[in-house]
């Protein structure tokens, strides 16, 4: 009977040792699971922080590129406005110079015709005198020089202005083309263009 009790006692001790070993193993597994979870949490935090840092760098790059593009657009807009201003000033200057040259040409033609009339009157008065022939030759040379000056004044005008002035004088398109050595259609186009500008 003691042997039986001893066997039961040994058996219970072995079961107790096994239970203790199983509990120890489970406790170790739980501790390992907690350590693994902590590692996973740390890794997730690292991944998220690296992802956030990457996003921040990309945002900074995007902001820099956007500001550079914006600065380029502003500088190009400034350059365009400067170009437009200079083009406007140049156009105004050329328009002023064209207007001045046109006024000068008109004035020189007027002065030439006035001088021609004076010379004719003077030549008529001197015709009565014996030296009338010499003075007549002088007046003819003066009128020729005046007409050459008026021709030069017409040459200083632009072709379009010459065409328009000849049209005002009553010449037809063919005569204008012959005088200027241009084509008939070219003269017609210049006149149409001028009419469109005046409208």
């Amino acid at each position: 009977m003691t042997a039986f009790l001893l066997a039961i006692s040994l058996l219970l001790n072995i079961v107790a040792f096994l239970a203790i070993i199983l509990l120890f193993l489970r406790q170790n597994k739980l501790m390992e699971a907690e350590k693994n979870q902590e590692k996973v949490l740390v890794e997730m935090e690292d991944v998220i922080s690296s992802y956030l840092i990457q996003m921040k760098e990309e945002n900074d790059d995007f902001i820099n590129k956007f500001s550079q593009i914006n600065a380029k657009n502003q500088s190009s807009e400034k350059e365009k406005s400067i170009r437009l201003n200079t083009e406007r000033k140049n156009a105004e200057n050329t328009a002023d110079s064209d207007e001045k040259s046109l006024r000068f040409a008109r004035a020189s033609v007027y002065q030439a015709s006035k001088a021609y009339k004076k010379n004719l009157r003077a030549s008529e008065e001197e015709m009565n005198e014996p030296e009338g022939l010499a003075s007549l030759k002088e007046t003819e040379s003066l009128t020729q020089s005046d007409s050459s000056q008026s021709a030069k004044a017409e040459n200083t005008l632009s072709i379009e202005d010459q065409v328009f002035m000849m049209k005002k004088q009553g010449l037809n398109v063919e005569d204008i083309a012959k005088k200027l050595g241009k084509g008939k259609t070219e003269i017609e186009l210049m006149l149409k263009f001028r009419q469109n500008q005046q409208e």
Side-chain angles (χ1 to χ4, degrees):
M1 175 114 179
T2 57
F4 178 69
L5 288 176
L6 260 175
I8 291 179
S9 166
L10 276 174
L11 187 63
L12 288 174
N13 282 334
I14 291 173
V15 170
F17 278 124
L18 286 175
I20 290 171
I21 290 172
L22 284 174
L23 287 175
F24 182 74
L25 289 175
R26 283 188 180 174
Q27 187 181 5
N28 281 342
K29 284 182 182 179
L30 285 174
M31 290 177 77
E32 285 179 13
E34 286 180 1
K35 286 180 182 178
N36 287 338
Q37 284 181 351
E38 287 178 4
K39 284 181 184 179
V40 168
L41 285 175
V42 168
E43 287 176 1
M44 285 176 64
E45 287 177 0
D46 290 341
V47 168
I48 290 172
S49 64
S50 66
Y51 181 70
L52 289 175
I53 289 170
Q54 241 178 356
M55 282 181 63
K56 183 181 177 187
E57 289 175 356
E58 288 175 359
N59 287 340
D60 291 339
D61 288 341
F62 176 73
I63 290 170
N64 288 337
K65 287 180 182 177
F66 185 73
S67 61
Q68 288 175 353
I69 291 171
N70 202 9
K72 286 180 183 177
N73 287 341
Q74 288 177 352
S75 64
S76 64
E77 287 175 5
K78 287 180 183 178
E79 289 175 2
K80 286 179 184 177
S81 64
I82 290 170
R83 286 181 193 162
L84 288 174
N85 288 337
T86 54
E87 287 175 1
R88 287 178 189 161
K89 288 179 183 177
N90 290 339
E92 290 173 0
N93 290 339
T94 55
D96 290 342
S97 64
D98 288 344
E99 188 175 319
K100 287 178 183 176
S101 64
L102 186 60
R103 287 181 191 165
F104 178 71
R106 287 180 185 163
S108 64
V109 169
Y110 175 71
Q111 289 171 353
S113 65
K114 194 173 180 182
Y116 178 71
K117 287 177 184 177
K118 275 186 180 180
N119 289 334
L120 276 179
R121 287 180 195 154
S123 66
E124 287 174 0
E125 291 174 0
E126 291 177 359
M127 284 289 264
N128 298 332
E129 298 175 4
E131 297 174 355
L133 292 174
S135 62
L136 183 61
K137 289 181 182 178
E138 290 176 8
T139 55
E140 286 178 2
S141 65
L142 287 174
T143 56
Q144 287 176 354
S145 65
D146 288 341
S147 63
S148 65
Q149 285 178 353
S150 64
K152 287 179 183 176
E154 285 182 3
N155 288 339
T156 58
L157 295 176
S158 68
I159 294 174
E160 291 177 8
D161 292 335
Q162 290 177 4
V163 168
F164 194 65
M165 287 176 66
M166 288 181 185
K167 185 67 176 175
K168 278 186 176 180
Q169 290 172 359
L171 296 173
N172 61 7
V173 176
E174 292 174 358
D175 293 337
I176 296 171
K178 285 178 184 177
K179 281 190 176 184
L180 295 177
K182 300 286 183 183
K184 182 180 171 184
T185 55
E186 187 177 352
I187 301 299
E188 289 174 350
L189 286 174
M190 284 182 193
L191 290 171
K192 286 181 184 178
F193 182 70
R194 181 60 74 98
Q195 286 175 352
N196 289 341
Q197 280 182 344
Q198 288 178 351
E199 291 173 359

